[in-house]
Amino acid sequence: MISTTVFILHTVLAMTPFQNSALGLKMDLPEGAVVMGTRDTPPFCIISSGNEDDMWHLRLERGTNPESKTVKKLIEQSKTAGLDEKPTTILASNAMKVGVLEGWWKVEQGTTEIGNTIVGQLAIPAHGNQFIMARILTTDVGWRRNSVMLKQMLQSIVPIDPVALVQDNLQGLDAATKQLTSLNEKHLRTLVGFKEWRRIQKSSDGSGRASDIGYALVQIESGHVEEVEPHIGKEKLPPNGIIVLVTSRIVPNPETGVVIDSYARYWMSWDGKEERWSNRVTRSIGKAKATESETGLRNRPEIGSPKSRLMVVQQDLTADIIETPFKALAQDPWLPRALVWILGPVLSTVDDDERFIWKTYENSGGVQRTVVRTDSIKKYADGTRVITTRFGEDNDSLWTTIDPQGRMILQEQNDGAFVTGTTEGTLRSIWSPRNLW
């Protein structure tokens, strides 16, 4: 299905900080680690190496400890999940420092259907007569290869007071609400006329050499909601909001020759309470083409219906197939789709380091969902700012550096992909010789 083809290319950097609010912890994850699943009640999280040739799994969970048992006792009473009922060999059973805390560490070797298996268990105390249990599951080969790294990963765990974490999140929600409340026609009209060319590159071989894989143009204009769809011949209506136009061309793999063209128009009312968008994506190779579209609509809250509702329809225009509409409540504070593309100029006036937590719609990876998005902004002495973006409980996934006017300098993404602000002339000189301008 249709998905965001520009700017959202996932990445996990070496020793990336990871935080899970439900578990009340933060830790460092190694390069390539993937969060496979998380749940609030009971709180647990599963993380894997993300490498089929070097697989390991980590399960994190938080539990209550009303009897104040020692961490050693907790480990001794814990069943070693993942191993057969046959006798196991204990490779380690000892106290282990985890930051300033003392945990208990036990490693067992046994057999499963895949052969020799290693299970490592760590228990550490947590706030309020609770504990955090971590379980590593890997093969004996994986353990010999990664045991030092896996132990370092576990020793980076830092329990966080859930109450303090809730208060911190409330501050982020309040900051987002304040920022969205400040939106009005006078402020948004100052953004009209914004135009930015973006160069998209990727380093695929790990050598640091980057190749151009695409480009995009982002513009802001004032307009009427009816202008989201083509209105040739229709009377020009007075603007009742802004329209963010995003045009892009991506050539993800030059060897296949597939070209992905996207043309999108995102309308948002002056107060941000309503939005509508239309995004059309065409994939072509030679004369063969396939086109998909996405249309989104968020209504204004009304008496009797105090919460905004979001509906997104995706359609395969080539096969004339309409997917089941995606529907959800747009919970406040809600980040409109239009602002996702222009957070640079929107947040360029933020003078202090700040963290914004808002809900928004995402379709990256072809999965439609509403997510909690966190944007942390840090200002530097030269006036530049870095916006670090995280979706849900995942790792930070975007690092966007903007100049004092909010224009993009650099956006670092996953898998060696990055975006830089540039000029039309530079892009023309790159893509015209390829007949892709």
Side-chain angles (χ1 to χ4, degrees):
M1 293 311 301
I2 193 168
S3 64
T4 301
T5 57
V6 187
F7 321 130
I8 306 295
L9 305 172
H10 299 287
T11 186
V12 179
L13 299 181
M15 301 313 289
T16 301
F18 167 74
Q19 180 171 302
N20 187 294
S21 302
L23 286 167
L25 63 79
K26 59 183 179 180
M27 63 186 298
D28 294 331
L29 296 181
E31 181 178 359
V34 178
V35 179
M36 302 297 294
T38 184
R39 189 168 69 183
D40 293 347
T41 308
F44 79 87
C45 180
I46 297 177
I47 300 169
S48 77
S49 64
N51 184 350
E52 293 183 358
D53 297 324
D54 189 16
M55 186 59 71
W56 53 260
H57 299 282
L58 166 64
R59 178 186 172 96
L60 297 162
E61 60 183 286
R62 174 183 282 266
T64 58
N65 187 17
E67 299 177 7
S68 299
K69 296 177 182 178
T70 65
V71 287
K72 179 180 179 181
K73 194 69 174 178
L74 291 171
I75 288 291
E76 291 175 345
Q77 294 181 346
S78 175
K79 181 180 179 181
T80 309
L83 295 181
D84 293 339
E85 297 299 327
K86 299 176 183 179
T88 61
T89 301
I90 297 178
L91 304 181
S93 183
N94 54 266
M96 187 167 79
K97 279 289 186 181
V98 180
V100 299
L101 301 173
E102 184 168 290
W104 194 264
W105 172 240
K106 183 179 181 181
V107 183
E108 294 179 82
Q109 182 175 12
T111 58
T112 66
E113 59 183 14
I114 63 173
N116 291 330
T117 301
I118 301 293
V119 174
Q121 295 188 95
L122 170 70
I124 58 175
H127 301 275
N129 284 336
Q130 298 186 31
F131 66 89
I132 292 173
M133 183 80 74
R135 290 186 177 91
I136 289 286
L137 177 66
T138 187
T139 63
D140 56 345
V141 175
W143 180 250
R144 289 195 298 270
R145 183 183 300 161
N146 300 310
S147 60
V148 173
M149 176 274 293
L150 292 172
K151 287 178 67 175
Q152 289 176 342
M153 175 181 67
L154 296 180
Q155 288 178 300
S156 73
I157 295 175
V158 178
I160 304 173
D161 183 355
V163 175
L165 194 58
V166 168
Q167 292 176 341
D168 190 37
N169 287 341
L170 286 175
Q171 291 179 356
L173 291 168
D174 288 342
T177 300
K178 182 180 179 181
Q179 186 69 29
L180 292 169
T181 304
S182 69
L183 296 178
N184 54 50
E185 181 175 353
K186 180 180 179 181
H187 173 65
L188 290 176
R189 280 192 179 277
T190 64
L191 303 180
V192 173
F194 178 88
K195 182 177 180 180
E196 183 172 79
W197 289 95
R198 297 177 181 179
R199 179 180 183 181
I200 307 167
Q201 297 173 280
K202 185 176 182 180
S203 176
S204 57
D205 58 6
S207 66
R209 293 190 302 249
S211 58
D212 283 89
I213 63 169
Y215 57 92
L217 172 63
V218 179
Q219 303 176 82
I220 304 175
E221 61 182 36
S222 60
H224 193 275
V225 61
E226 296 296 333
E227 296 178 50
V228 168
E229 298 292 348
H231 60 291
I232 298 174
K234 293 184 180 180
E235 181 182 354
K236 179 74 174 179
L237 298 171
N240 56 1
I242 62 168
I243 296 178
V244 177
L245 294 87
V246 182
T247 308
S248 69
R249 169 163 286 180
I250 305 291
V251 186
N253 187 347
E255 295 180 0
T256 66
V258 175
V259 179
I260 305 175
D261 290 319
S262 174
Y263 178 75
R265 296 172 68 87
Y266 301 90
W267 174 86
M268 183 189 75
S269 61
W270 295 122
D271 60 3
K273 299 296 185 182
E274 295 179 86
E275 61 179 312
R276 185 173 177 180
W277 72 83
S278 173
N279 184 15
R280 181 168 296 199
V281 176
T282 299
R283 292 172 173 82
S284 59
I285 178 169
K287 294 183 179 180
K289 294 184 178 182
T291 302
E292 300 170 344
S293 70
E294 178 179 273
T295 303
L297 174 67
R298 179 171 64 98
N299 68 308
R300 179 179 295 276
E302 300 174 347
I303 297 176
S305 181
K307 291 186 179 295
S308 291
R309 295 183 180 275
L310 175 73
M311 183 173 72
V312 184
V313 178
Q314 293 187 341
Q315 182 176 4
D316 184 334
L317 299 178
T318 305
D320 196 22
I321 297 175
I322 300 177
E323 299 293 331
T324 301
F326 173 84
K327 299 180 180 180
L329 289 177
Q331 298 179 334
D332 293 331
W334 181 265
L335 181 67
R337 195 76 172 143
L339 297 188
V340 167
W341 303 100
I342 56 170
L343 269 186
V346 170
L347 298 181
S348 63
T349 57
V350 176
D351 289 328
D352 300 315
D353 293 351
E354 190 67 88
R355 190 165 72 110
F356 303 92
I357 300 178
W358 24 39
K359 316 289 175 46
T360 193
Y361 168 80
E362 259 300 312
N363 65 0
S364 55
V367 179
Q368 293 177 281
R369 63 199 187 280
T370 58
V371 296
V372 176
R373 171 175 172 144
T374 302
D375 289 286
S376 303
I377 187 166
K378 184 174 181 59
K379 183 180 179 181
Y380 292 89
D382 61 357
T384 61
R385 296 167 173 81
V386 174
I387 304 172
T388 302
T389 303
R390 177 195 307 164
F391 296 95
E393 297 288 358
D394 292 342
N395 300 309
D396 296 338
S397 56
L398 297 174
W399 296 264
T400 308
T401 303
I402 58 175
D403 68 14
Q405 288 72 47
R407 294 188 173 278
M408 182 181 292
I409 298 174
L410 169 67
Q411 183 182 83
E412 298 175 82
Q413 307 176 5
N414 331 6
D415 300 332
F418 58 95
V419 182
T420 53
T422 187
T423 65
E424 180 180 359
T426 297
L427 294 173
R428 187 188 299 273
S429 66
I430 295 170
W431 291 97
S432 285
R434 307 184 194 180
N435 293 321
L436 289 171
W437 180 253

